[in-house]
Amino acid sequence: MEPLPSFPEDFLWGTATAAYQIEGAVREDGRGVSTWDTFCAQPGRVRDGHTGETACDHYHRYREDVALMAELGLNAYRFSVAWTRIQADGRGPANAKGLDFYDRLVDELAAHGITPFLTLYHWDLPQALEDEGGWLNRDTAYRFAEYAGHVHARLGDRVAHWTTLNEPFVQMAYGYAMGVHAPGQALLMEALPAAHHLLLAHGLGVQTLREAGASHVALTNNLTPVRAESDSDGDRAAAAAYDALHNRLFLDPVFRGRYPDMSAYGVAEMPGVRDGDLELIAAPLDSLGVNYYNPTRIAAPEEGPDALLPFVDVGITGVPRTAFDWPVVPSGLTELLVGLRDSYSDALPPIHITENGCSYDDEVGPDGTVNDPDRIAYLDGHIRAIAAARDAGVDVRGYLVWSLLDNFEWAEGYHQRFGIVHVDFATQRRTPKRSAEWYRDAITEMRGKSLKRR
Ligand code: FCB
């Protein structure tokens, strides 16, 4: 393989996780019921009826997990806080015991020199708020800001990097438009108010965090470079419509202070927007979190203007695929990053890659090791793609692999293994995969280069 590219000494290298996917301990220390607890309990929602009840038992094993990160030489860790641990019903005073857990986690990270990246919301809404309309209800945004204040009051002295939301697009599209994630509503375009309320929550959250003195505030989006299947006007218009829905709906308000043109969806004006909302949503950020998995190829629908949606996802072919059947296209990450810079120019803050990774059917071999060459190739390719974007002038400052551990992959249950550390869910035994060792060595090599260059 070609030598690895060089990165600045202070570049952050780490992994990412999310509360419901790893913590377990769903009934401990006053945690309330979240939409994901409810969703998992509904037959047929999650593959094989899997739930996050135990997950990786990280709530009890966080010390071991932090030690693993330290052994791998990682200097950053992105995790999320479970809202229901802090406010069981999503409102009112903070539950001290819930905060204690994250307090211990943050101290453990600090003791190992690992910079925490805290995400306040990674999809596990308090069920009590969902019962009042969830993200279709404007009030949820205000509840979120109150919750953000509680978490900052306890952890703001030790956590510098604050992210409001994880992937509002996926929350809206999977949770409220298609119904494949909690809360399982299939409202199609009627889900659009959820997008605005999520963004409003972000804006109000930023306001609360700033007032409390937070110095580094971010939003994490799931972004995909959109490619038209052909140069025809129809395919290009379809690609633009998809780009508006997936990417620009969650970028333009933040970096341009206005919603993109959604007329391809028959939407003349975004529902639910009130005076002052966009000013809040467009408040300056210190970084944008980019979650990248793959590009999207889009064509015009065959039914023409009568189609339910103005695009068809025709899929990317001719490239390797992950166990999830996601195409592996590292160059898409360079394309995405350069495209962001070109579209938003000075309004775009520095970027952290807050998720990137792949699932494979990894098994512990007879010799006790987990050999995952495809993941090594994946990580190698995407790290090079980031270096290429940096060479093109994009300010990328960190890379967080999804994920540290094999974990509860939402509607797929435990079937998709994304970890660089294998988890045997029967015994909770952790086994770093070959990719973890590769990542450790790669980081040492890339850091070594930046030292040599001084
Ligand atoms: C992202 C989610 C993350 C994980 C990966 C595979 O969309 O943010 O929780 O499920 O996909």
Side-chain angles (χ1 to χ4, degrees):
M1 266 191 206
E2 292 248 322
L4 284 160
S6 68
F7 281 86
E9 234 183 301
D10 58 357
F11 195 85
L12 293 168
W13 298 103
T15 57
T17 63
Y20 190 72
Q21 296 182 273
I22 63 165
E23 286 179 0
V26 294
R27 277 176 279 276
E28 254 165 88
D29 295 332
R31 178 186 178 282
V33 175
S34 81
T35 47
W36 270 95
D37 298 303
T38 308
F39 192 72
C40 289
Q42 295 166 354
R45 293 296 205 176
V46 176
R47 206 169 145 194
D48 289 340
H50 290 172
T51 79
E53 247 189 88
T54 310
C56 306
D57 194 31
H58 172 78
Y59 195 75
H60 301 116
R61 295 170 195 262
Y62 68 94
R63 281 203 178 83
E64 184 188 340
D65 294 337
V66 173
L68 271 170
M69 295 180 220
E71 279 161 30
L72 295 176
L74 308 180
N75 62 357
Y77 175 53
R78 172 175 181 249
F79 62 96
S80 80
V81 173
W83 188 340
T84 52
R85 292 199 192 280
I86 313 306
Q87 294 173 303
D89 293 331
R91 58 176 77 239
N95 167 27
K97 283 194 166 173
L99 285 167
D100 288 347
F101 168 68
Y102 299 103
D103 206 289
R104 293 193 295 271
L105 173 63
V106 162
D107 284 348
E108 194 69 17
L109 289 166
H112 290 84
I114 299 171
T115 301
F117 269 64
L118 186 153
T119 300
L120 284 160
Y121 181 73
H122 200 125
W123 309 347
D124 43 356
L125 189 72
Q127 182 61 42
L129 296 185
E130 181 56 36
D131 293 343
E132 294 167 19
W135 288 112
L136 298 171
N137 179 0
R138 184 179 170 93
D139 186 59
T140 299
Y142 295 88
R143 302 280 65 76
F144 172 78
E146 181 183 76
Y147 153 67
H150 285 319
V151 183
H152 191 276
R154 176 68 89 87
L155 302 176
D157 57 340
R158 282 154 295 151
V159 175
H161 293 262
W162 292 79
T163 299
T164 53
L165 311 177
N166 177 69
E167 301 187 352
F169 167 75
V170 176
Q171 173 71 105
M172 174 202 72
Y174 286 50
Y176 289 88
M178 301 187 301
V180 293
H181 278 182
Q185 299 202 47
L187 303 171
L188 295 176
M189 292 317 285
E190 301 295 308
L192 269 191
H196 181 62
H197 296 145
L198 281 156
L199 285 163
L200 180 62
H202 162 75
L204 291 164
V206 170
Q207 187 181 47
T208 302
L209 293 167
R210 292 283 187 218
E211 282 169 9
S215 61
H216 190 116
V217 183
L219 168 70
T220 277
N221 277 349
N222 174 296
L223 299 173
T224 180
V226 182
R227 301 169 175 178
E229 191 187 20
S230 80
D231 257 351
S232 74
D233 288 349
D235 286 352
R236 289 215 319 242
Y242 188 75
D243 186 42
L245 183 68
H246 190 130
N247 299 315
R248 291 178 45 213
L249 187 55
F250 300 92
L251 290 169
D252 282 14
V254 177
F255 299 123
R256 289 192 174 132
R258 58 182 145 82
Y259 277 104
D261 177 6
M262 298 293 285
S263 55
Y265 299 89
V267 176
E269 219 174 295
M270 267 298 277
V273 182
R274 297 193 191 163
D275 280 355
D277 287 1
L278 281 158
E279 284 73 19
L280 278 169
I281 293 168
L285 295 180
D286 302 292
S287 87
L288 172 67
V290 170
N291 291 357
Y292 169 76
Y293 288 93
N294 49 253
T296 308
R297 204 157 133 259
I298 293 292
E302 273 178 17
E303 311 85 49
D306 294 337
L308 201 56
L309 288 169
F311 63 83
V312 201
D313 184 340
V314 288
I316 307 256
T317 49
V319 297
R321 309 191 85 79
T322 71
F324 226 142
D325 203 28
W326 294 355
V328 179
V329 189
S331 63
L333 181 50
T334 315
E335 181 184 335
L336 173 69
L337 293 169
V338 170
L340 281 172
R341 200 265 323 273
D342 292 349
S343 296
Y344 296 98
S345 57
D346 289 350
L348 188 73
I351 288 174
H352 291 97
I353 307 302
T354 39
E355 284 184 30
N356 173 243
C358 48
S359 61
Y360 292 106
D361 297 326
D362 306 311
E363 285 172 17
V364 182
D367 61 352
T369 68
V370 183
N371 199 12
D372 56 343
D374 292 338
R375 182 170 291 100
I376 293 175
Y378 185 101
L379 298 178
D380 179 89
H382 287 81
I383 288 171
R384 289 174 199 275
I386 294 166
R390 284 176 48 85
D391 287 346
V394 187
D395 187 0
V396 186
R397 300 195 177 176
Y399 179 67
L400 301 159
V401 174
W402 186 271
S403 183
L404 175 68
L405 304 167
D406 291 339
N407 61 43
F408 176 77
E409 178 43 42
W410 310 114
E412 287 284 305
Y414 296 96
H415 290 288
Q416 304 295 337
R417 293 183 173 272
F418 273 93
I420 57 170
V421 175
H422 180 275
V423 177
D424 177 335
F425 292 103
T427 61
Q428 290 298 340
R429 192 190 157 93
R430 275 86 162 128
T431 309
K433 302 177 189 177
R434 287 271 189 240
S435 59
E437 293 163 13
W438 176 88
Y439 193 35
R440 177 196 63 203
D441 295 347
I443 294 168
T444 312
E445 186 185 327
M446 293 184 289
R447 276 194 193 130
K449 283 193 178 158
S450 60
L451 285 175
K452 266 186 235 136
R453 288 204 319 172
R454 280 198 303 179

